[in-house]
Every structure is written in structure tokens, then in C-alpha cells.
Amino acid sequence: MDKQTKAKAEQERSELRRIINDGISFEVEVRTARRPSGIFGRFKRKQISMQKRVFKVSEPTLATLDRLSALWLSIDIDDSQLSNDNYLADARRLAAQHSQTLAEIVATAVLGEDLYDITDRRGVFAYKPNNRKLAELSTTFFHSVKPSDLFKLAILITNACNLADFIASIRLMSATRTSEPMTTRIEPQG
């Protein structure tokens, strides 16, 4: 590997580490409706305006990663169907099937651990998902994220999930199991 390739790979790794540690911020333009202020504001029509809201995706905890993985696995795409003559019809069908799930994925990644309501029961913490909060944010993303933005968000969320370190951890923890028979850990002599 030459110096230029090494430098480029190192720059890519440092950028990925920065994304994982700092998180990723993105903004979405959201439509809001407000009544004019004052006493007579109740009797006037709501004024609709566009407002930019900033959201942040941070490295998820294991619980959030588990929830995201379940959502990712629920999306079933057969690539062989997309290469046939009915490409547009299939693309529209997939959009109708999975757009709500994709909005929920973005909302889950943004909420992270804030998705859960934590209660203390005699020193034991109970985590209960706040489905109302998730549904509200999913609806916001469903109505405001465009497909071009969704593609960028999918890449950013995948990078922030730090799946490479997760897989490395699995490999490290499963490498030497104490319950594994000794015959597989020691090379046979012979």
C-alpha cells in the first residue's frame, strides 16, 4: 500500500471516528400552523409557515441498535424484481410499502435513548418505549424528508451506528468461550 492510499484511508477513518463521537446534525423543513396571537387570534385562520428544525443522530446504544436492526430487517427488497420491465411500478410499490418504516428508522435514530421513558421501581430501572413520541417524530419525517435527503440520512445513520466496532466486539467475545470444549481450542497433536 503506497503512502497516498494510506493517508486517504487514515483520513477516512478519522472522519468516521469524528462522526461517531460527535454525531451528525441535519435539518428538515417542517410545515407549522399557528393562530395569530391576541384575543381575536382564536377566531382567525391558522397561518401556515415553513420552519427549519435541526436534528442530531448520535452513536446508538445497544437497545437502539437492536430496534434499528429489527426495522432494517423488516424491509424486504427483491433486487431481481427491480431489473425487469416493470421497474417503475415495482419502485412505486416499494415506496408505498416501506416509506413509513424508513421514516420510523430516521425517528428511532434521532431519538436514541430518549425514546424510552425510564421509571425507578425500588432501585431497578424499567425502560418503556414512548410510542407516541416515536409516532409524532416519524410523522414529521414522513411528511418532510425527501428521497434525496433520505439517501444521505441512510448513509449517515449507518456510519453513526458503528457496525464495524459492533462486529469486532462480537468476534472478540465469541473467540474464546469458556463453555467451548477443549478439543476445539487446542490443536490436535499428531
Side-chain angles (χ1 to χ4, degrees), residues 39-97:
I39 296 173
F40 296 108
R42 281 187 164 171
F43 305 110
K44 293 183 180 177
R45 294 179 75 176
K46 290 182 178 180
Q47 296 172 343
I48 296 175
S49 63
M50 298 304 280
Q51 177 185 14
K52 289 191 179 204
R53 291 183 57 193
V54 177
F55 297 97
K56 185 175 181 179
V57 176
S58 300
E59 183 178 14
T61 62
L62 295 177
T64 305
L65 187 60
D66 182 47
R67 191 175 189 96
L68 284 170
S69 296
L71 289 167
W72 284 323
L73 292 173
S74 72
I75 298 173
D76 184 31
I77 296 177
D78 185 9
D79 286 334
S80 64
Q81 287 183 342
L82 291 175
S83 62
N84 63 16
D85 296 336
N86 295 327
Y87 179 81
L88 285 176
D90 289 335
R92 289 181 183 124
R93 181 183 49 78
L94 288 171
Q97 259 183 325

Side-chain angles (χ1 to χ4, degrees), residues 9-186:
E10 185 56 41
Q11 182 182 9
E12 190 176 324
R13 272 194 293 274
S14 67
E15 179 65 19
L16 188 57
R17 283 280 163 220
R18 187 195 62 75
I19 287 172
I20 290 168
N21 293 334
D22 298 344
I24 302 126
S25 295
F26 66 96
E27 62 182 38
V28 174
E29 211 167 329
V30 179
R31 186 181 309 238
T32 58
R34 282 197 156 158
R35 292 195 189 278
S37 60
I39 296 173
F40 296 108
R42 281 187 164 171
F43 305 110
K44 293 183 180 177
R45 294 179 75 176
K46 290 182 178 180
Q47 296 172 343
I48 296 175
S49 63
M50 298 304 280
Q51 177 185 14
K52 289 191 179 204
R53 291 183 57 193
V54 177
F55 297 97
K56 185 175 181 179
V57 176
S58 300
E59 183 178 14
T61 62
L62 295 177
T64 305
L65 187 60
D66 182 47
R67 191 175 189 96
L68 284 170
S69 296
L71 289 167
W72 284 323
L73 292 173
S74 72
I75 298 173
D76 184 31
I77 296 177
D78 185 9
D79 286 334
S80 64
Q81 287 183 342
L82 291 175
S83 62
N84 63 16
D85 296 336
N86 295 327
Y87 179 81
L88 285 176
D90 289 335
R92 289 181 183 124
R93 181 183 49 78
L94 288 171
Q97 259 183 325
H98 300 300
S99 56
Q100 287 277 359
T101 306
L102 293 171
E104 187 176 347
I105 287 170
V106 175
T108 302
V110 166
L111 286 172
E113 277 300 300
D114 292 338
L115 171 63
Y116 300 98
D117 292 332
I118 304 169
T119 55
D120 182 12
R121 295 183 183 160
R122 295 183 226 153
V124 176
F125 294 108
Y127 294 85
K128 182 179 178 192
N130 187 333
N131 292 325
R132 184 185 56 78
K133 189 189 295 187
L134 179 64
E136 287 174 1
L137 194 56
S138 293
T139 301
T140 299
F141 290 135
F142 183 70
H143 290 284
S144 59
V145 172
K146 298 175 181 97
S148 57
D149 298 333
L150 181 64
F151 183 72
K152 294 173 196 169
L153 286 173
I155 292 170
L156 294 174
I157 290 169
T158 302
N159 287 342
C161 282
N162 198 5
L163 293 172
D165 283 352
F166 182 77
I167 296 299
S169 300
I170 291 173
R171 285 185 173 155
L172 181 65
M173 289 186 183
S174 67
T176 55
R177 297 183 305 248
T178 57
S179 61
E180 185 178 13
M182 292 293 283
T183 57
T184 60
R185 284 195 276 167
I186 300 173

